[in-house]
Amino acid sequence: MVKKIFQLKILLINGSPRKDGNSTQLGRAVIEGAVSHGLTAIPEIYIDCMRFKGCQNCGTCNKNGICVVKDDMQSAYASLRVADI
């Protein structure tokens, strides 16, 4: 038996405007398959529902790793940092 050293985390980022469309169903099937093989799913990110502003090229994130733009991406950054896949 192989001992798990760490748990891989998988994140689905959905950019489709159809929240329950084909892309979502396909993505969820991938997530279900990954979870059935021992990965942990992180709550999905729906880009179409988010409001975010583009990079302002201020360079702050290069200094401290944190974006100064306060938009819906702030909640996504945490998921992106945690996700392995």
Side-chain angles (χ1 to χ4, degrees):
M1 178 177 202
V2 177
K3 199 175 193 181
K4 289 184 182 178
I5 298 174
F6 62 94
Q7 185 73 36
L8 289 175
K9 295 168 209 69
I10 186 167
L11 171 64
L12 172 62
I13 300 173
N14 188 340
S16 174
R18 293 177 48 213
K19 198 168 186 176
D20 291 319
N22 294 333
S23 297
T24 301
Q25 298 304 318
L26 180 59
R28 287 181 180 162
V30 170
I31 295 291
E32 287 176 21
V35 168
S36 73
H37 284 86
L39 278 73
T40 300
I42 297 172
E44 301 169 23
I45 295 175
Y46 288 98
I47 294 176
D48 190 58
C49 298
M50 297 172 67
R51 292 187 181 262
F52 54 92
K53 192 172 180 179
C55 178
Q56 302 300 296
N57 198 26
C58 66
T60 304
C61 62
N62 293 327
K63 296 174 188 165
N64 64 12
I66 299 171
C67 182
V68 297
V69 178
K70 303 301 179 206
D71 57 11
D72 289 346
M73 279 302 294
Q74 296 302 317
S75 62
Y77 291 140
S79 295
L80 291 168
R81 284 186 194 102
V82 172
D84 298 303
I85 302 170

